[in-house]
Amino acid sequence: MEQRIPLYERSPDGAAVQRGEVRCTGQGMYVRFQADCPAWSPRPEVCKVWLEQGERRLLLGTLMPEGDRLTLSRQRSVGELNRWGVPNPEQATVAGDEPPPRADRWQRLDALPLQIRDESLAEALRRAPAGGRWRAEGEGWLLRFPWQPGQAFPLPALFCFGRYREGALWFRLSGQGYPVSP
C-alpha cells in the first residue's frame, strides 16, 4: 500500500512551504521512501529530508539534483523505524532541513533556568567552554556550542546525544533536564 506524505521546506521565519511529496511504500519488512519534486529557487545547497512524528526525527536522506528536479530514494527497515519511534510513517510529517533558530532567541549558557538533577551533566555544563547558548524548544531545551572537528568536545557527558551541523554541536534536553537522542 502506498501513502503520500507532503514534503515541506521550513523558511527562516518558521513558516512551512509545501515543495512536493514523499511516497511511502511498504515492502514486507521494509518501507521505501521516494521523493521527486521540482527544484525551487533559490535552491538550497543541501536539503536533508527528515521523517518527523511528534518529537522524534529520523533522517531519510538528502535530496539530489537531477536536472530541474530534486529526488530521493531510500529504504528503511520496519524494525529501524520502530526503534526510532516512527512506527507509522504514513502518519508522520516529512520536512526539509530546518534553518538554525534566529540568533536573538539564544541566551548565554549560564542563564539556563533549569535545575539539572544528574550531577555529571550539571558538572559538564558548568565546565562547558565559553560560547555555549541555549533556548527553550517545545517542552525542553536546545543547547548549541560552536565546534569544529579536531577541537576538544565541549560536553563529553553528552557525546552520544550531540548532532553536528553548521559549525556547531546541538544537544536537546527534556523539560526535566535529561538528554534526548537526536
Side-chain angles (χ1 to χ4, degrees):
M1 174 182 231
E2 181 178 281
Q3 300 287 331
R4 294 178 183 266
I5 307 170
L7 172 64
Y8 293 96
E9 176 196 23
R10 290 202 182 108
S11 62
D13 64 2
V17 178
Q18 185 173 350
R19 296 298 187 183
E21 62 186 17
V22 175
R23 291 184 316 280
C24 167
T25 309
Q27 299 175 333
M29 296 175 56
Y30 295 92
V31 178
R32 168 134 333 257
F33 297 93
Q34 293 180 292
D36 181 11
C37 58
W40 56 90
S41 182
R43 184 171 74 198
E45 288 182 27
V46 175
C47 186
K48 298 210 177 280
V49 178
W50 299 88
L51 184 63
E52 300 177 338
Q53 193 164 19
E55 293 293 314
R56 298 296 211 161
R57 288 170 45 106
L58 173 64
L59 179 63
L60 287 181
T62 303
L63 288 172
M64 300 301 295
E66 290 188 16
D68 62 346
R69 310 215 36 97
L70 297 173
T71 64
L72 167 82
S73 181
R74 183 63 43 103
Q75 181 172 292
R76 298 284 185 167
S77 74
V78 172
E80 179 184 18
L81 293 171
N82 284 325
R83 280 191 303 278
W84 276 91
V86 188
N88 300 310
E90 66 276 2
Q91 296 174 6
T93 302
V94 174
D97 218 14
E98 58 187 275
R102 292 190 335 233
D104 61 2
R105 297 164 91 186
W106 292 91
Q107 298 182 41
R108 288 190 346 255
L109 193 59
D110 59 3
L112 182 65
L114 176 64
Q115 186 72 12
I116 304 291
R117 294 185 183 128
D118 181 271
E119 188 53 40
S120 63
L121 178 55
E123 181 63 22
L125 288 172
R126 282 192 289 276
R127 293 177 181 245
R133 299 281 187 254
W134 69 271
R135 76 176 177 98
E137 182 170 91
E139 295 181 18
W141 312 93
L142 186 62
L143 307 179
R144 181 183 185 278
F145 293 87
W147 185 79
Q148 292 297 322
Q151 294 178 332
F153 199 81
L155 290 175
L158 295 180
F159 179 79
C160 295
F161 297 98
R163 184 170 134 198
Y164 178 76
R165 77 173 186 206
E166 300 162 7
L169 286 169
W170 302 68
F171 302 92
R172 290 184 189 280
L173 298 178
S174 69
Q176 295 78 33
Y178 296 109
V180 177
S181 62

